[in-house]
Amino acid sequence: MTVTPTWDPAQYLRHAGHRTRPTTELLARIPVPATPAPRIADLGCGAGNVTALLAERWPAARITGYDNSPEMLDAARTHHAGPTPGGGHLDLVHADLRTWTPEEPYDLIISSATLQWVPGHADRFADWAAALNPGGTFAFQIPGNFDAPSHALMREIAHRHGIGHVLRHSDAVLAPQDYLARLTALGCTADVWETTYLHLLTGEDPVLDWVKGTGLRPVLTALADEPERREAFLEEYRAALRTAYPPGPHGTAFPFRRLFAVAHKTAKEAPSPAGGAPAVITALDHVQLAAPAGSEDLLRDYYGGILGMREIPKPPALAPRGGCWFQSGSVQLHLGIENGFRPARKAHPGIRVSGIRQYADRLDRHGAPVTWDDNLPGHLRFFTADPVGNRLEFLEPVREDA
C-alpha cells in the first residue's frame, strides 16, 4: 500500500515556474464567475503559490485552500494567508480530499496537480459538483505521465529495493475520455484536453531534483530513517534518469504530459416575476454622489486626474442632466447634478484601494485634506473630501504578516 508522504515546500518550489504554468493556462479557460467576489476552493493548495494566482485573477474573491500536509500549510500561511490587495481574503485549512465535502456553495472549485494523490478521486466529483452555485465551475489539471521513464523507472527500482508498494501506479489517473464521461454524467458541460510540456531543466540531475519535490516523496518518506537504503536507491535511480534524460547543450528536456478538465454547471434560467421565486441582491452596481451645477471640470480633474479613475459615458437619455460617471475596475462612481446642493458630510463611499499611502501622498500634494483614522481593525484608512465637499473614505486591508 502507498504511504502518506512528508512534503518539503522548499524542494517543491525549486521548479515553481514550470509547475505553475499549467495552472495559469487552466485559469485562462475558466469562465468568468457570475459575481465579482466569487467563493473559491483550492483543493490541494500545497505551499500556496498556485492559490496566490487565484487571488491575482479574482482580487475580491474569498478563497480557501485545502491540504493535508502540515508542512505545506505552514508555508502557505506564512506567505499568502490573510486579506488580499483587492479586498478578498485567503484562508488555509487542513483537509483530507478523500472525505472532504463542501459545507457551503462555491463559484469555483479548482485543483492543480493534486488529485493523482487521492485514490478514487473521480468518485468525489458528484459531491463537489453538487456544491457549485448555478453557473459555477469545477476545474482541475493533473499529471498524466505515470508511464513516462521518470515514473516507470521509479517503480521498477523501488520494487527491486523492496519498497514498490509505497508508490502509485498508472491507474492513479483516468484516461481523458473517462473524465469527460464522469463530468458530463453529472449534468455539466465539460472541456477535457491534454498537453505535453517540454520543460527545459538546468543544473545537475535536474529530473531527479524535480521528482524529489513530488512523485518521489513516498520513497523518501519510507526511507527517511534508513539513510543507507535511501542513498542506494537514489544512486541507482539517478543513473537510470541520466540515461533516460541525457542533458543537451542548453539543458535537459523533460517531457511532461498533463490532463486538463473544466466542467461548468449550467446556470438556472431567471424566473419570471410571476413565478414567486425569492429576489436576491447580487452586487452593488454603483455609488451616487451629488454635485453642484457647473462642477464637472473640477470633478474630472479630481476623480480622473488625481485618483486615476476612467470617465465613462452617461447613457444618452441621462447625459443632458449633467454630471459625470467614473469607473476603476468593477467600481463605478456616479456624480449627479443636484439643485440646492449640499455636500455629504456624514454619508460617504468607502473606497478600497491597493497602495493607500500613494493615494494619500497624491491627494496631499494637490491640497486635499487627508485625515488618518486607526479605529478600523485590520485596515489602514483615511478620510478626505472631493472638490465639492463630499466626504470620502479610503481604506486598505493590512496583511496579518505585514
Side-chain angles (χ1 to χ4, degrees):
M1 59 183 296
T2 59
V3 300
T4 300
T6 299
W7 290 90
D8 182 344
Q11 181 67 41
Y12 177 81
L13 292 172
R14 283 171 59 83
H15 300 278
H18 290 297
R19 296 193 195 280
T20 55
R21 179 182 169 190
T23 302
T24 301
E25 296 178 1
L26 178 66
L27 291 178
R29 303 283 283 272
I30 294 175
V32 177
T35 171
R39 185 72 176 98
I40 300 176
D42 180 15
L43 308 187
C45 61
N49 54 312
V50 166
T51 319
L53 295 178
L54 302 176
E56 292 177 9
R57 175 72 184 275
W58 294 288
R62 187 161 63 95
I63 304 168
T64 301
Y66 296 94
D67 206 283
N68 70 344
S69 166
E71 298 84 4
M72 289 295 207
L73 286 171
D74 285 346
R77 290 183 179 122
T78 298
H79 298 290
H80 302 293
T84 60
H89 202 277
L90 198 160
D91 297 306
L92 289 311
V93 175
H94 186 277
D96 185 340
L97 298 185
R98 293 174 298 179
T99 57
W100 178 77
T101 300
E103 297 180 351
E104 61 179 296
Y106 287 88
D107 299 294
L108 171 63
I109 298 177
I110 187 170
S111 181
S112 185
T114 294
L115 299 183
Q116 73 276 14
W117 296 100
V118 183
H121 58 265
D123 295 331
R124 306 293 301 125
F125 289 176
D127 285 342
W128 300 345
L132 293 174
N133 283 318
T137 299
F138 170 47
F140 63 89
Q141 63 92 359
I142 189 169
N145 63 337
F146 283 87
D147 292 327
S150 57
H151 286 62
L153 290 169
M154 186 191 303
R155 293 193 298 269
E156 176 185 328
I157 296 170
H159 181 74
R160 286 203 292 271
H161 285 252
I163 51 173
H165 60 284
V166 307
L167 291 171
R168 301 155 298 149
H169 296 272
S170 57
D171 59 357
V173 174
L174 304 184
Q177 58 269 28
D178 293 329
Y179 285 123
L180 180 64
R182 294 278 192 131
L183 295 169
T184 53
L186 297 174
C188 296
T189 59
D191 183 14
V192 179
W193 71 98
E194 60 182 90
T195 297
T196 297
Y197 295 89
L198 285 174
H199 299 301
L200 190 61
L201 307 182
T202 58
E204 185 177 3
D205 298 314
V207 177
L208 177 61
D209 192 64
W210 176 293
V211 297
K212 278 184 175 180
T214 50
L216 196 58
R217 297 310 304 176
V219 170
L220 299 178
T221 300
L223 300 179
D225 297 327
E226 301 180 75
E228 292 184 0
R229 287 186 67 194
R230 179 180 184 273
E231 290 308 312
F233 173 89
L234 288 176
E235 182 178 354
E236 183 176 351
Y237 185 44
R238 181 185 294 110
L241 289 177
R242 286 175 176 173
T243 301
Y245 301 98
H250 304 291
T252 300
F254 182 36
F256 201 113
R257 176 176 173 259
R258 292 186 186 267
L259 307 181
F260 298 78
V262 176
H264 190 60
K265 187 173 184 178
T266 303
K268 296 178 181 177
E269 294 185 4
S272 64
V280 177
I281 295 174
T282 60
L284 188 65
D285 184 81
H286 66 275
V287 173
Q288 175 89 21
L289 291 175
S295 63
E296 286 88 350
D297 287 343
L298 281 175
L299 299 173
R300 291 186 177 100
D301 288 343
Y302 182 83
Y303 289 98
I306 299 176
L307 299 186
M309 301 184 77
R310 176 174 59 90
E311 184 173 2
I312 57 177
K314 296 185 65 174
L318 300 179
R321 302 179 185 179
C324 38
W325 293 2
F326 299 91
Q327 181 170 1
S328 178
S330 60
V331 176
Q332 286 195 29
L333 196 60
H334 296 181
L335 281 300
I337 301 303
E338 180 181 44
N339 293 327
F341 164 78
R342 289 189 301 173
R345 303 293 191 187
K346 181 65 175 177
H348 64 275
I351 303 172
R352 193 184 296 268
V353 299
S354 176
I356 191 170
R357 297 189 187 278
Q358 297 177 39
Y359 277 102
D361 291 344
R362 193 182 306 168
L363 289 165
D364 184 66
R365 288 197 305 270
H366 286 83
V370 174
T371 303
W372 289 94
D373 182 282
D374 60 1
N375 291 318
L376 183 63
H379 291 76
L380 293 173
R381 72 168 180 168
F382 66 81
F383 293 94
T384 186
D386 72 6
V388 298
N390 290 314
R391 189 184 196 206
L392 303 176
E393 176 184 350
F394 286 73
L395 65 162
E396 179 176 14
V398 177
R399 287 182 62 92
E400 296 176 1
D401 58 350

